[in-house]
Amino acid sequence: MSADFIIEVNSVSKNFGGVVAVNECSLKVERGSITGLIGPNGAGKTTLFNMVAGTTTPSSGNIIFDGEDVTGFDPHILFDRGMLRTFQIAHEFSQMSAMENLMMVPGDQPGEHLLDVWLRPSLVRSRELEVRQKANDVIDFLKLSHIKDELAGNLSGGQKKLLELGRTMMVDAKLVLLDEVAAGVNRTLLKDLAHNIERMNKELGYTFFVIEHDMDLIARLCDPVIVMAQGQVIAQGPMEEIRKNPEIIEAYFGTPVEA
Ligand SMILES: Nc1ncnc2c1ncn2[C@@H]1O[C@H](COP(=O)(O)OP(=O)(O)O)[C@@H](O)[C@H]1O
Ligand SMILES: [Mg+2]
């Protein structure tokens, strides 16, 4: 049996007025994996992610998500198809509780249509109960019961990250994209975060595609790891092999690396 890929990036390029950020890049993310994406600053990782997530349109090539060509699709269409990306809790949501932040996520709630509130109040009520139940399940899964009524703005950096992860659990995600989720999180909460990503993967079957600078986190979580440099994939494999690969050491240390 050949492997089952949730994402296939086929010879994709992105050109920003002369700057080639991604250069005929091809890679695949296997369903059920936690796949890492690493590479020196400016390698094209974020641009590649943006193209997968629909926030940037490729200059050429195509992107297949769950068997469908989604090249150039809008992020909200991809969201409906089950591709989610974590975002920082927006300023306006910081004045809402952790629980309310979770309950905001699912699209298409009948209560959002004013007419429904008047014409079908029981439907709106039962849908709200369903969403509340789901939010409670997510809170339990992530062991966040103690902060469920806390305003999101008052949570620590790590707790906010857990809540962001929790938001991806409010809808049935097939793929979760994480871009530098460890940035600004202390070691203890980082372990918590990594542990929950592993649990979501193993117990709930989520596939993750992860950009990360923290090599320890990558080593712990990701298999395989894909390495990009200068807009292309230069290596792929388990982290133990990647660490030993001279071409990769060259890519990281042969050129000046910023942060
Ligand atoms: N919007 C943009 N306009 C022009 N150049 C960009 C833009 N976004 C990224 N680039 C350039 O593309 C290259 C890859 O950037 P990026 O995808 O952010 O790399 P990484 O995430 O691996 O650090 C860099 O040279 C960067 O300066
Ligand atoms: Mg980046």
Side-chain angles (χ1 to χ4, degrees):
M1 259 267 318
S2 62
D4 178 15
F5 296 106
I6 185 110
I7 286 285
E8 295 179 46
V9 171
N10 296 313
S11 203
V12 163
S13 298
K14 181 66 188 186
N15 212 310
F16 292 107
V19 178
V20 182
V22 172
N23 187 11
E24 297 193 6
C25 182
S26 298
L27 58 83
K28 292 175 179 182
V29 175
E30 195 171 336
R31 194 190 302 270
S33 69
I34 306 179
T35 298
L37 184 62
I38 64 172
N41 238 12
K45 304 180 298 293
T46 298
T47 304
L48 184 103
F49 245 49
N50 287 340
M51 291 190 283
V52 169
T55 48
T56 300
T57 310
S59 309
S60 63
N62 66 56
I63 293 163
I64 311 293
F65 173 53
D66 204 15
E68 181 184 18
D69 188 336
V70 297
T71 316
F73 279 29
D74 282 344
H76 73 271
I77 307 243
L78 295 170
F79 177 92
D80 288 342
R81 299 273 204 286
M83 187 196 298
L84 271 70
R85 187 176 192 170
T86 58
F87 282 104
Q88 292 193 336
I89 306 286
H91 184 65
E92 56 271 31
F93 291 159
S94 65
Q95 292 309 310
M96 291 168 52
S97 72
M99 184 74 181
E100 287 164 341
N101 264 278
L102 293 178
M103 292 185 64
M104 282 299 290
V105 178
D108 235 357
Q109 291 183 49
E112 282 166 5
H113 306 289
L114 198 55
L115 261 184
D116 276 336
V117 180
W118 292 99
L119 299 177
R120 300 191 291 175
S122 66
L123 175 69
V124 172
R125 262 199 310 275
S126 73
R127 174 76 180 137
E128 194 191 322
L129 277 175
E130 219 175 87
V131 172
R132 183 173 294 279
Q133 179 59 47
K134 177 88 185 163
N136 270 314
D137 290 347
V138 170
I139 292 268
D140 286 346
F141 185 87
L142 296 174
K143 303 192 171 58
L144 289 175
S145 315
H146 57 297
I147 55 135
K148 96 190 232 194
D149 299 317
E150 192 64 64
L151 296 184
N154 293 343
L155 302 181
S156 73
Q159 289 170 333
K160 276 188 196 144
K161 297 285 176 184
L162 274 180
L163 188 58
E164 286 166 27
L165 201 59
R167 282 158 45 122
T168 68
M169 298 175 68
M170 287 301 295
V171 288
D172 292 323
K174 291 180 186 149
L175 175 71
V176 179
L177 301 170
L178 304 175
D179 193 349
E180 298 198 29
V181 74
V185 178
N186 75 44
R187 301 310 299 179
T188 314
L189 272 159
L190 196 55
K191 273 194 189 146
D192 234 27
L193 195 62
H195 179 60
N196 279 300
I197 291 170
E198 277 170 341
R199 288 176 63 219
M200 284 173 69
N201 174 253
K202 293 206 173 68
E203 295 170 30
L204 305 176
Y206 281 62
T207 304
F208 286 92
F209 191 23
V210 182
I211 296 183
E212 191 50 70
H213 275 304
D214 188 315
M215 289 300 148
D216 292 337
L217 187 69
I218 286 277
R220 172 180 168 169
L221 275 183
C222 302
D223 189 16
V225 176
I226 297 171
V227 189
M228 278 184 80
Q230 300 181 332
Q232 293 191 315
V233 171
I234 59 162
Q236 170 164 357
M239 194 61 189
E240 312 90 78
E241 278 171 33
I242 298 283
R243 279 193 207 271
K244 290 185 234 152
N245 184 327
E247 214 187 322
I248 293 159
I249 297 165
E250 164 76 22
Y252 270 99
F253 303 109
T255 52
V257 177
E258 295 161 46

